[in-house]
């Protein structure tokens, strides 16, 4: 039987940003870039922690070219062919530090991810995205990906159970609508 949570829940409409005093003289002095060191991969990332989602219309090579100029991140949509990936990597190597190769949790998805990461070793980030991230199957899938790619940073898209994936699955980043949870 499902458990019903009856405690108070907050949404984005419940958030109020209150200005705070600052020593900055101008908004142009604001630096949004942050540095993250990831627990499992031991990689360090420096950039603005905003990710274009891995949807068909936003996680595109065109989007990655534009966003990477501003150190913004793109989780690539998962429908690009290996040849398209290779062409992009050759023509835009400067973008590779700000993108993640995306995958679902099926066998064919994993094989495609392996092909991409073997062909383009400069890609250091993996985005896993499934509709039901609460399943034990997905936690096991994240572990499989972690075992295959121990030096890559694994992120999962929203809807996932952060605790299970970080503690048991080897996931590093769970982007939320507010910020990166590392």
């Amino acid at each position: 039987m499902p458990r019903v949570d009856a405690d108070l829940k907050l949404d984005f409409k419940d958030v109020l940003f209150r200005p705070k005093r600052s020593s900055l003289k101008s908004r142009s002095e604001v630096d949004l870039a942050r540095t993250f060191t990831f627990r499992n991969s031991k990689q360090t990332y420096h950039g603005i922690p905003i990710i274009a989602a891995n949807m068909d219309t936003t996680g595109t090579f065109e989007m990655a070219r534009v966003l990477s100029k501003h150190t913004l991140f793109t989780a690539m949509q998962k429908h690009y062919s290996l040849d398209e990936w290779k062409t992009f990597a050759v023509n835009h190597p400067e973008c590779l530090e700000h993108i993640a190769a995306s995958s679902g949790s099926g066998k064919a998805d994993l094989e495609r991810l392996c092909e991409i990461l073997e062909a383009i070793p400069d890609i250091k980030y993996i985005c896993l995205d499934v509709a039901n991230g609460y399943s034990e199957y997905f936690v096991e899938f994240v572990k499989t990906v972690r075992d295959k790619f121990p030096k890559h940073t694994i992120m999962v898209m929203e809807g996932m159970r952060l605790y299970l994936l970080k503690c048991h699955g080897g996931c590093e980043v769970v982007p939320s609508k507010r910020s990166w949870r590392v």
Side-chain angles (χ1 to χ4, degrees), residues 1-10 134 161:
M1 170 161 253
R3 189 181 71 141
V4 176
D5 255 341
D7 56 332
L8 177 66
K9 303 289 187 273
L10 299 176
Y134 295 94
R161 236 182 218 174

Side-chain angles (χ1 to χ4, degrees), residues 104-160:
S105 61
K107 183 179 178 184
D109 293 324
L110 181 58
E111 289 170 1
R112 202 181 115 283
L113 178 66
C114 290
E115 289 174 351
I116 292 166
L117 296 178
E118 288 167 11
I120 310 166
D122 288 340
I123 298 174
K124 302 295 183 195
Y125 299 91
I126 298 169
C127 173
L128 301 177
D129 191 12
V130 297
N132 187 0
Y134 295 94
S135 70
E136 281 298 317
Y137 172 81
F138 187 65
V139 173
E140 291 303 317
F141 181 76
V142 173
K143 287 180 186 178
T144 299
V145 174
R146 169 58 57 220
D147 290 342
K148 284 187 177 295
F149 302 102
K151 295 184 178 178
H152 284 72
T153 299
I154 299 173
M155 60 181 68
V156 295
M157 297 314 276
E158 60 182 298
M160 309 305 165

Side-chain angles (χ1 to χ4, degrees), residues 13-66:
K13 68 178 177 7
D14 301 307
V15 175
L16 172 65
F17 289 105
R18 289 181 22 199
K20 131 181 175 180
R21 269 184 205 228
S22 169
S23 60
L24 301 178
K25 295 176 183 151
S26 167
R27 289 182 297 220
S28 65
E29 296 177 19
V30 173
D31 182 11
L32 297 176
R34 299 290 179 262
T35 300
F36 298 97
T37 301
F38 299 105
R39 179 181 62 182
N40 294 308
S41 68
K42 308 295 187 243
Q43 287 191 82
T44 298
Y45 177 78
H46 182 78
I48 299 172
I50 296 175
I51 302 175
N54 61 331
M55 300 183 308
D56 296 351
T57 57
T58 57
T60 64
F61 290 140
E62 182 180 355
M63 183 73 75
R65 282 194 305 268
V66 173

